[in-house]
Amino acid sequence: DGDGGGDGDGGGDGDGGGDGSEGSDGTGSTKGETKGQMTQRHKREAKAVKDQVKRLGKAKKAEGQKLLAEMESRHASELQALEGSSGERDVLKEMEDLSFYSNAEAKKSKGQKRREKLEQEEREREQRIAEELEAMGDTAKDLEEAALLAKLSALRLKMKDIPSDGHCLYRAIEDQIKDLPDGGREVIERAGQPLTYGSLRKLCAEHLLKNQEEFIHFVEVEDMEGFKSYCEEVGNTAAWGGHVELQALSSALSLHVKVHSADHPCVDVGPEHGDTVNVCYLRHSCALGEHYNSCCMAE
């Protein structure tokens, strides 16, 4: 058949008596083979060696890697010998282009793909926010901030900026817990874990799921599966949080949250709880959605 006179598996059974080579005598001799025939033989040999490596299993991973490396090295040498003046770089490039050598790109785990997708979505969101802020102008934002600052000043408070990255509510609560008189020790003990914006997200999602009958009617979902997806977004994405999430966090942490805004009286979330924190709610800070800032004592 013009491929070195072999039977397609190197004269052995592919997993013991041979290395899967057909048309080469081990010295790079491939007389009579065209490039197309050599490529087809290489494909068969690659398949045979990969099957052999699979049978070796994880326990003999090093042996399997050695077999693959030896095969690829021999194939490169054969291509080099056949093409003569084409050069090693061209041969290696050609081998990279042949899919039967993969491992060319290790398969990404579902988790890695998901993390990369979320990171890309967050970058795109930040870019949209920057573009919207630039196009919006300052009027509505400035008027709102001036009114809110006047309210805070009467309470001897001032606004503390939080990044508008989709995590603003959770970052504001995190900042406020750190500013509690005991540094948030009791709240952290109640939570049973360090409280960062990421862990607050997961804690919020868990509380929503555990108390789904209480919260499901306040989110825009059609059924329980939709509510579970909603909670998944709360816990694992940069989805904006609002009053429902504030209620869940207040309940989960036994925390009294005072929400200050320019247009409405202060809203008390969980006033029955002892530890009190203050956050600011702004409608015009970001054109893509509302925003939460933290507060601190005015000097």
Side-chain angles (χ1 to χ4, degrees):
D1 58 4
D3 65 1
D7 63 1
D9 62 359
D13 62 3
D15 65 351
D19 63 357
S21 62
E22 302 175 9
S24 171
D25 62 4
T27 64
S29 174
T30 56
K31 293 180 180 179
E33 259 188 329
T34 66
K35 184 176 178 180
Q37 290 168 341
M38 180 179 287
T39 298
Q40 291 303 312
R41 175 171 57 80
H42 284 181
K43 284 183 180 181
R44 293 193 296 273
E45 291 175 0
K47 183 180 184 304
V49 172
K50 285 186 176 182
D51 289 344
Q52 182 178 351
V53 169
K54 284 181 182 178
R55 286 192 289 272
L56 288 173
K58 292 183 179 179
K60 295 185 178 181
K61 183 177 179 180
E63 184 179 342
Q65 290 176 336
K66 182 180 178 183
L67 285 172
L68 286 169
E70 289 174 349
M71 175 195 70
E72 292 181 13
S73 175
R74 177 170 54 75
H75 286 182
S77 297
E78 290 177 3
L79 281 168
Q80 182 95 31
L82 182 68
E83 296 190 349
S85 61
S86 63
E88 181 179 359
R89 179 169 298 186
D90 291 340
V91 169
L92 293 177
K93 176 66 169 64
E94 184 172 344
M95 290 184 68
E96 289 174 2
D97 291 340
L98 295 173
S99 61
F100 57 86
Y101 286 108
S102 300
N103 302 333
E105 181 181 353
K107 288 185 178 178
K108 294 180 180 178
S109 67
K110 289 183 179 178
Q112 183 180 353
K113 289 180 180 177
R114 187 168 174 278
R115 285 192 297 273
E116 290 177 357
K117 180 182 178 183
L118 292 176
E119 288 169 2
Q120 178 63 27
E121 288 175 352
E122 189 155 350
R123 285 193 294 270
E124 290 172 357
R125 173 185 167 83
E126 290 172 357
Q127 179 63 29
R128 291 197 306 273
I129 289 172
E131 292 171 356
E132 290 285 348
L133 285 174
E134 186 175 350
M136 182 178 63
D138 295 331
T139 305
K141 175 183 176 184
D142 286 352
L143 289 172
E144 180 181 42
E145 286 191 2
L148 179 53
L149 289 174
K151 281 188 172 184
L152 293 174
S153 179
L155 300 170
R156 300 181 64 185
L157 293 171
K158 64 181 181 179
M159 192 154 54
K160 186 176 181 182
D161 288 338
I162 295 294
S164 54
D165 59 359
H167 303 297
C168 57
L169 170 64
Y170 306 95
R171 290 187 188 275
I173 296 296
E174 175 190 2
D175 181 74
Q176 284 292 293
I177 290 172
K178 290 177 181 176
D179 280 350
L180 287 170
D182 63 351
R185 180 177 55 81
E186 290 188 7
V187 178
I188 292 170
E189 286 179 357
R190 288 197 292 271
Q193 60 181 311
L195 294 176
T196 65
Y197 77 89
S199 64
L200 285 168
R201 273 191 169 281
K202 294 189 181 302
L203 183 68
C204 180
E206 290 168 3
H207 189 80
L208 289 170
L209 276 173
K210 287 178 183 176
N211 300 275
Q212 51 193 243
E213 294 299 328
E214 177 183 351
F215 292 103
I216 190 171
H217 304 293
F218 298 98
V219 297
E220 295 182 4
V221 297
E222 295 182 356
D223 52 27
M224 192 58 69
E225 285 303 312
F227 186 71
K228 289 179 181 178
S229 296
Y230 179 90
C231 294
E232 176 74 14
E233 286 188 3
V234 169
N236 296 292
T237 75
W240 186 84
H243 192 74
V244 170
E245 288 72 32
L246 266 178
Q247 290 276 13
L249 287 171
S250 169
S251 179
L253 297 170
S254 298
L255 200 62
H256 174 203
V257 184
K258 297 175 75 72
V259 185
H260 305 274
S261 65
D263 301 331
H264 301 283
C266 178
V267 175
D268 289 287
V269 181
E272 68 275 15
H273 303 304
D275 290 309
T276 300
V277 299
N278 293 272
V279 298
C280 299
Y281 168 77
L282 300 113
R283 293 176 57 210
H284 301 295
S285 178
C286 173
L288 294 179
E290 296 92 337
H291 178 64
Y292 284 94
N293 272 336
S294 184
C295 293
C296 59
M297 295 300 298
E299 296 177 359

